[in-house]
Amino acid sequence: MDLNHLTQPLQLNDTTQLKAVFDPALRYFSAQLWKGGEPAGLLGTVGQFTHPDDVLDAVDEFLTEHGESPLTESQMGQFAGMLIMAKGGPDAAMLQLAIENPSSVLLF
Protein backbone atom coordinates (compact mmCIF):
# COMPACT_ATOMS: atom_id res chain seq x y z
CA MET A 1 0.00 0.00 0.00
CA ASP A 2 1.18 3.52 -0.80
CA LEU A 3 2.03 5.81 2.13
CA ASN A 4 1.82 8.91 -0.05
CA HIS A 5 -1.62 9.79 1.39
CA LEU A 6 0.01 10.19 4.83
CA THR A 7 2.89 12.38 3.70
CA GLN A 8 0.97 14.81 1.48
CA PRO A 9 -1.53 17.47 2.64
CA LEU A 10 -5.11 16.33 3.23
CA GLN A 11 -7.18 17.68 0.34
CA LEU A 12 -10.43 19.03 1.83
CA ASN A 13 -11.81 20.33 -1.49
CA ASP A 14 -10.49 21.62 -4.84
CA THR A 15 -8.69 24.58 -3.29
CA THR A 16 -8.26 23.76 0.41
CA GLN A 17 -5.68 21.59 2.15
CA LEU A 18 -4.85 20.68 5.73
CA LYS A 19 -1.19 20.02 6.53
CA ALA A 20 0.12 18.10 9.54
CA VAL A 21 3.23 19.65 11.07
CA PHE A 22 5.63 18.58 13.80
CA ASP A 23 8.41 20.88 15.00
CA PRO A 24 11.23 18.59 16.18
CA ALA A 25 13.17 21.38 17.89
CA LEU A 26 10.23 22.54 19.99
CA ARG A 27 8.51 19.12 20.05
CA TYR A 28 4.95 20.20 19.28
CA PHE A 29 2.31 19.49 16.64
CA SER A 30 0.21 21.89 14.62
CA ALA A 31 -2.10 21.96 11.62
CA GLN A 32 -1.87 24.42 8.77
CA LEU A 33 -4.89 25.35 6.67
CA TRP A 34 -4.12 26.37 3.08
CA LYS A 35 -6.64 27.87 0.64
CA GLY A 36 -5.77 28.54 -2.98
CA GLY A 37 -2.11 27.81 -2.32
CA GLU A 38 -1.90 30.43 0.44
CA PRO A 39 -1.75 30.00 4.24
CA ALA A 40 -5.23 30.53 5.70
CA GLY A 41 -4.86 29.49 9.33
CA LEU A 42 -2.68 27.80 11.94
CA LEU A 43 -3.97 25.51 14.66
CA GLY A 44 -1.52 25.28 17.55
CA THR A 45 0.98 27.64 19.07
CA VAL A 46 4.42 26.78 20.42
CA GLY A 47 4.04 24.02 23.00
CA GLN A 48 0.24 23.91 22.85
CA PHE A 49 -0.13 20.48 21.23
CA THR A 50 2.43 17.95 22.42
CA HIS A 51 0.50 14.89 21.22
CA PRO A 52 -1.38 14.16 17.96
CA ASP A 53 -4.63 13.65 19.91
CA ASP A 54 -4.43 17.26 21.09
CA VAL A 55 -4.63 18.44 17.47
CA LEU A 56 -7.37 15.96 16.60
CA ASP A 57 -9.49 17.17 19.54
CA ALA A 58 -9.36 20.76 18.25
CA VAL A 59 -9.26 20.42 14.45
CA ASP A 60 -13.01 20.33 13.75
CA GLU A 61 -13.66 23.55 15.68
CA PHE A 62 -10.68 25.17 13.93
CA LEU A 63 -11.99 24.16 10.49
CA THR A 64 -15.51 25.39 11.31
CA GLU A 65 -14.11 28.75 12.45
CA HIS A 66 -12.41 29.04 9.05
CA GLY A 67 -15.57 28.24 7.07
CA GLU A 68 -14.73 24.59 6.39
CA SER A 69 -16.64 21.42 7.21
CA PRO A 70 -15.46 19.22 10.08
CA LEU A 71 -13.40 16.19 9.06
CA THR A 72 -15.22 13.01 8.18
CA GLU A 73 -14.37 9.88 10.13
CA SER A 74 -12.14 8.72 7.27
CA GLN A 75 -10.39 12.10 7.02
CA MET A 76 -9.87 12.14 10.79
CA GLY A 77 -8.16 8.75 10.63
CA GLN A 78 -6.01 9.86 7.72
CA PHE A 79 -5.05 13.11 9.45
CA ALA A 80 -4.11 11.19 12.61
CA GLY A 81 -1.75 9.09 10.49
CA MET A 82 -0.38 12.25 8.88
CA LEU A 83 0.46 13.70 12.31
CA ILE A 84 2.27 10.50 13.29
CA MET A 85 4.22 10.48 10.02
CA ALA A 86 5.08 14.19 10.42
CA LYS A 87 6.82 13.41 13.71
CA GLY A 88 8.62 10.35 12.38
CA GLY A 89 10.47 7.99 14.70
CA PRO A 90 9.30 4.62 16.07
CA ASP A 91 5.57 5.40 15.91
CA ALA A 92 5.84 6.31 12.24
CA ALA A 93 7.87 3.18 11.56
CA MET A 94 5.23 1.02 13.24
CA LEU A 95 2.43 2.76 11.32
CA GLN A 96 4.32 2.21 8.07
CA LEU A 97 4.79 -1.48 8.92
CA ALA A 98 1.08 -1.85 9.73
CA ILE A 99 0.07 -0.24 6.43
CA GLU A 100 2.56 -2.11 4.28
CA ASN A 101 2.09 -5.50 5.93
CA PRO A 102 -1.19 -5.63 7.92
CA SER A 103 -0.73 -9.32 8.79
CA SER A 104 2.37 -8.41 10.80
CA VAL A 105 0.31 -6.43 13.30
CA LEU A 106 -1.28 -8.21 16.24
CA LEU A 107 -4.68 -6.77 17.10
CA PHE A 108 -6.42 -7.36 20.41
Side-chain angles (χ1 to χ4, degrees), residues 20-23 27-31 43-45 47-55 82-88:
V21 178
F22 179 74
D23 185 315
R27 304 200 48 76
Y28 79 98
F29 293 89
S30 61
L43 173 63
T45 57
Q48 182 178 5
F49 299 132
T50 58
H51 192 273
D53 286 347
D54 299 334
V55 177
M82 292 169 61
L83 290 163
I84 291 168
M85 295 304 286
K87 182 178 179 188

Side-chain angles (χ1 to χ4, degrees), residues 6-34:
L6 295 180
T7 59
Q8 299 297 315
L10 180 63
Q11 198 72 39
L12 300 178
N13 58 46
D14 290 341
T15 61
T16 307
Q17 298 177 323
L18 189 62
K19 297 181 181 184
V21 178
F22 179 74
D23 185 315
L26 299 174
R27 304 200 48 76
Y28 79 98
F29 293 89
S30 61
Q32 297 175 349
L33 183 65
W34 289 71

Side-chain angles (χ1 to χ4, degrees), residues 75-96:
Q75 288 173 322
M76 187 68 77
Q78 184 177 346
F79 195 62
M82 292 169 61
L83 290 163
I84 291 168
M85 295 304 286
K87 182 178 179 188
D91 291 339
M94 292 303 292
L95 178 58
Q96 182 174 350

